[in-house]
Amino acid sequence: MPTGHGFRVERARGPAWYMKYRLPDGRQVQKKLGPAWTERGRPPAGYFTKRVAEDALRRTLDEARRGTLPGMMQTGATFADAVAEYLRYIEQDRGRKPSTLRGYQSAIEAHLLPAFGVPPVENVTTTAIEQWLAGFSGLVRSRNKLLIQLHGILGRARRVYGLPANAAAEVEKFSQRPSGEIEVFAPEEVWALVRAAGSEQDAAIFLTAGFTGLRMGELIALRWRDVDFAGSTIRVRASYYLGQLTTPKSGKVRSVPMAPDVATALAQLSQREHWVGDDDLVFAGEPGGYLDGSALRRRYKAALSRAGLRPLRFHDLRHLVDAGVMRPV
């Protein structure tokens, strides 16, 4: 049974807390925890009171008891290896969409790999995670999302590399305040955006996004056969993102109402010279292929600027669900 104790040492540069413990194999370890906090109130990150030092010792002894303390076991895999396996797993085995996978990759590469990438995956302990989170300056929502991803990475490492425990499971999420209502454009702002569009097609795509709630990838993948003018509906069958055609985010084909203003704009667009067959794309790129999403976002931002509108995301257009009240101004 591992045992140990914490103690404070007076140094020329100030007091510091240490811990000393004995491992089950008889080895003794002494480790500096950090500077002692001698002021009133809660210690800042990196400082220790007697209670904080005792908590750190308790977690260390618990890890030693479970066999998850760094140095007591070896998986043969780094944290970077565990990340690669996790991303492979969610892409190939779980079939996550390219947009979801890209979001995971961006967050992991920006935050988790710089913090934990090189050392063995077993070195990612609960204490290490808490210390990293204490120094993380991002939003609470971002911290919680990273913690969820870290939990998934370590959970997969347990199955593949024999990691004894998931250290992220012991870390509490940060409490989040309600974010309030979603900020959206007013109807007159949508029409101002439409008027400021750089082309007839961009005007139609902005209008359709606002009136129907379709996501950008769904708009880019929309074909004329799915525009039912007689039934005043649009069938959403697919989504296009990063060069890949996938199912809609819901995973199901759905139909959405087509407001009269959308029908008028699409009917005018269908009078163009090319790309108006049933299998052609409604919002066609050159020559008749899929639009470049990044270029569309740039044109959208330029239209926002010309119209003098708030810098909301393209995605925020889809929150305007009450299309029936929106009319030209």
Side-chain angles (χ1 to χ4, degrees):
M1 181 70 66
T3 59
H5 65 281
F7 57 97
R8 177 171 154 169
V9 177
E10 301 297 327
R11 300 292 190 190
R13 295 183 179 179
W17 277 96
Y18 287 74
M19 64 179 175
K20 189 174 183 179
Y21 54 91
R22 184 186 298 274
L23 297 175
D25 60 8
R27 286 181 295 158
Q28 290 192 46
V29 179
Q30 180 171 305
K31 180 181 177 181
K32 180 180 179 181
L33 294 171
W37 179 247
T38 58
E39 306 295 332
R40 291 180 178 272
R42 187 175 182 177
Y47 283 80
F48 289 78
T49 61
K50 181 179 180 180
R51 181 176 178 179
V52 175
E54 289 174 346
D55 288 343
L57 174 64
R58 176 184 52 77
R59 289 194 297 269
T60 298
L61 295 180
D62 286 344
E63 290 173 355
R65 197 173 296 114
R66 295 193 302 265
T68 60
L69 192 66
M72 290 188 64
M73 55 86 65
Q74 294 182 345
T75 61
T78 65
F79 179 76
D81 294 330
V83 165
E85 164 57 25
Y86 173 70
L87 292 175
R88 183 211 64 77
Y89 170 71
I90 64 173
E91 178 184 16
Q92 299 179 15
D93 298 357
R94 300 305 299 261
R96 293 290 188 265
K97 292 185 177 296
S99 56
T100 301
L101 185 65
R102 187 180 184 187
Y104 283 11
Q105 286 177 316
S106 297
I108 289 170
E109 290 173 0
H111 300 288
L112 297 182
L113 281 175
F116 305 111
V118 177
V121 67
E122 57 267 23
N123 283 18
V124 184
T125 63
T126 298
T127 300
I129 296 171
E130 290 178 338
Q131 290 176 345
W132 169 68
L133 285 174
F136 186 81
S137 59
L139 298 174
V140 169
R141 181 171 178 268
S142 299
R143 285 184 286 184
N144 284 341
K145 289 180 68 175
L146 287 169
L147 184 57
I148 291 172
Q149 290 174 354
L150 188 55
H151 187 283
I153 293 167
L154 297 180
R156 185 63 186 164
R158 288 191 68 186
R159 296 178 178 85
V160 175
Y161 303 114
L163 191 66
N166 188 332
E170 303 297 325
V171 181
E172 293 185 8
K173 289 184 181 178
F174 293 84
S175 60
Q176 292 182 230
R177 295 180 180 178
S179 58
E181 296 183 359
I182 298 173
E183 189 175 5
V184 298
F185 287 120
E188 57 270 19
E189 290 178 307
V190 175
W191 282 104
L193 176 68
V194 170
R195 291 193 296 270
S199 68
E200 180 186 28
Q201 178 166 282
D202 279 355
I205 201 169
F206 298 158
L207 188 66
T208 306
F211 275 60
T212 65
L214 268 66
R215 298 172 176 85
M216 179 182 287
E218 296 167 344
L219 290 162
I220 292 175
L222 186 64
R223 297 185 184 275
W224 285 112
R225 64 170 178 264
D226 295 320
V227 180
D228 182 358
F229 287 105
S232 297
T233 59
I234 294 176
R235 286 182 293 274
V236 184
R237 300 178 187 270
S239 182
Y240 185 82
Y241 184 76
L242 293 179
Q244 295 189 39
L245 193 65
T246 65
T247 59
K249 189 170 184 179
S250 64
K252 300 178 181 178
V253 175
R254 70 183 192 279
S255 294
V256 299
M258 181 168 55
D261 295 314
V262 173
T264 299
L266 295 184
Q268 291 174 348
L269 196 62
S270 70
Q271 299 305 308
R272 65 194 179 196
E273 186 176 356
H274 301 291
W275 324 123
V276 292
D278 285 349
D279 290 332
D280 289 327
L281 295 166
V282 175
F283 305 111
E286 292 292 339
Y290 294 106
L291 285 174
D292 182 330
S294 297
L296 176 58
R297 285 191 181 88
R298 289 194 294 270
R299 296 197 300 274
Y300 166 75
K301 290 179 180 179
L304 284 179
S305 178
R306 288 193 294 269
L309 297 174
R310 294 169 291 158
L312 300 187
R313 304 169 302 168
F314 186 99
H315 185 79
D316 293 323
L317 285 170
R318 70 179 303 269
H319 294 302
L320 291 168
V321 294
D322 191 6
V325 302
M326 298 172 64
R327 290 292 181 268
V329 294

